[in-house]
Amino acid sequence: MAAIELEDLSFRYRNQRGEPALRDVSLTVEEGEFLGVVGETGAGKTTLLSAMCGVIPFHTSGDRAGTVRVKGRAVEAYGSLSALSSAISMVLDSPENQLFNLHVFDEVIWGPENMGFDREEIIERGERALRLFGLEGFEDRITYTLSGGEKQKVAIASIYALSPEIILLDEPTSQLDPIGTEMVFEAIDQLIAEGVTIVMAEHKIEELAKYADRIAVLRGGELTHVDETRAFFLDGADHGVAPPQVTELGLELSRSGVDGFRIPLTLEEATAEYAGVLRREGPR
Ligand SMILES: Nc1ncnc2c1ncn2[C@@H]1O[C@H](COP(=O)(O)OP(=O)(O)OP(=O)(O)O)[C@@H](O)[C@H]1O
Ligand SMILES: [Mg+2]
């Protein structure tokens, strides 16, 4: 069964003028996949994620047409956001809006506590979440004194502690440095290995190229393209998103006649491929 199915989804915020935020979006997210969502500012990424997880219509209202199904069931049929939260949860783009406990550990176990697990399991989920996101030692830190990046990691860890089957992340690394960004993506890779389905709105193309299974592009509220990551960057068409620099280098070398190598999407692939080419060609 698909994790999420959108059929001709359109949405206009109550006070929105001009074009609606989403127009006739049809998209299926498979169970266990990592789908990256890209698009310029205002393209509709946050709106799309909000509609997938039930924030639209349960929290934010407007004119909605089409259907959204989560695990085969219409979002409305769940009845409330909290009923949806063990199936699907979203990490908001501004972590401030998601953190409301004084101490980090209380924040991370807040969800499991409210789901009524026994004490031992609550603690274990909390500790595991902190470990996965490199937050050991942060247990007693005051949430509102954390840096933006630390808050982002706590927000993701808090959602992870709920063990939803599907996690939506809205630009989760926007305030993180390269090391923090890589750590979050590695943790997400771990969630994928555990069978969690991930949908992430993200501008960091290098990271999506490395980790995402597929990439979807929104433009002016419309889904203009979706494809497997490798095909997405190498099909030769302009999807309005520049490929990673190592990929551009590969495409350029290939155009200038260098052959016998696979065009890389990541730095790791590039190192391996270009080492092979350089060994064969020798230094000039
Ligand atoms: N609460 C709201 N009320 C009215 N219009 C809104 C609201 N939220 C978003 N919009 C409008 O809907 C459109 C899509 O916005 P959305 O936030 O989904 O874009 P986005 O792709 O997430 O952008 P960004 O990259 O800046 O986060 C924009 O035109 C935006 O101005
Ligand atoms: Mg957004």
Side-chain angles (χ1 to χ4, degrees):
M1 188 202 303
I4 308 169
E5 294 157 282
L6 307 181
E7 254 173 50
D8 297 322
L9 175 69
S10 295
F11 182 74
R12 180 192 292 278
Y13 289 94
R14 189 177 284 160
N15 303 317
Q16 190 169 18
R17 288 149 182 261
E19 297 298 321
L22 293 175
R23 270 189 294 174
D24 293 326
V25 175
S26 294
L27 172 68
T28 299
V29 181
E30 299 299 338
E31 215 161 86
E33 82 163 318
F34 179 168
L35 176 73
V37 179
V38 300
E40 294 167 359
T41 220
K45 303 179 295 298
T46 298
T47 309
L48 183 77
L49 267 50
S50 305
M52 285 176 168
C53 72
V55 165
I56 295 170
F58 290 122
H59 181 272
T60 303
S61 56
D63 295 329
R64 200 183 68 140
T67 50
V68 179
R69 278 190 291 274
V70 171
K71 304 193 66 197
R73 193 169 166 211
V75 157
E76 302 86 321
Y78 285 83
S80 70
L81 260 185
S82 59
L84 266 160
S85 67
S86 62
I88 186 165
S89 277
M90 176 162 166
V91 181
L92 306 177
D93 57 354
S94 39
E96 284 80 10
N97 297 340
Q98 195 149 344
L99 305 181
F100 38 85
N101 285 276
L102 188 60
H103 293 107
V104 167
F105 198 68
D106 292 337
E107 184 64 51
V108 173
I109 63 173
W110 191 86
E113 270 183 329
N114 281 281
M115 284 165 79
F117 293 108
D118 60 49
R119 195 71 202 156
E120 209 172 304
E121 174 157 15
I122 291 170
I123 301 294
E124 156 149 12
R125 278 176 182 240
E127 285 175 349
R128 193 150 181 274
L130 291 185
R131 251 195 327 276
L132 193 58
F133 291 95
L135 292 164
E136 289 138 311
F138 277 70
E139 288 79 355
D140 299 324
R141 294 278 299 275
I142 308 291
T143 49
Y144 64 78
T145 65
L146 299 175
S147 75
E150 289 164 345
K151 282 180 188 158
Q152 272 185 322
K153 288 202 280 185
V154 172
I156 305 172
S158 306
I159 292 295
Y160 168 73
L162 283 165
S163 309
E165 294 166 63
I166 309 164
I167 299 182
L168 312 180
L169 300 125
D170 196 3
E171 302 191 36
T173 67
S174 58
Q175 300 183 42
L176 289 168
D177 58 21
I179 292 172
T181 297
E182 185 61 23
M183 165 174 258
V184 164
F185 274 90
E186 276 170 13
I188 283 158
D189 210 34
Q190 176 66 40
L191 303 189
I192 290 288
E194 292 173 16
V196 177
T197 306
I198 301 283
V199 181
M200 183 193 290
E202 180 60 76
H203 288 288
K204 291 176 182 162
I205 286 298
E206 257 79 15
E207 302 288 346
L208 285 184
K210 183 169 171 184
Y211 290 102
D213 296 308
R214 288 194 302 155
I215 297 187
V217 191
L218 282 173
R219 196 181 271 178
E222 287 181 295
L223 182 73
T224 53
H225 192 64
V226 54
D227 204 349
E228 310 225 326
T229 304
R230 174 160 282 275
F232 182 92
F233 289 117
L234 299 182
D235 67 4
D238 177 10
H239 303 303
V241 182
Q245 285 193 339
V246 290
T247 308
E248 299 225 54
L249 174 63
L251 289 165
E252 202 51 48
L253 286 172
S254 162
R255 275 194 286 272
S256 68
V258 179
D259 56 14
F261 73 102
R262 183 174 136 105
I263 293 176
L265 287 188
T266 67
L267 187 60
E268 290 77 6
E269 283 173 20
T271 309
E273 291 298 330
Y274 299 146
V277 172
L278 289 170
R279 258 185 234 113
R280 274 199 308 280
E281 309 269 320
R284 300 257 154 85

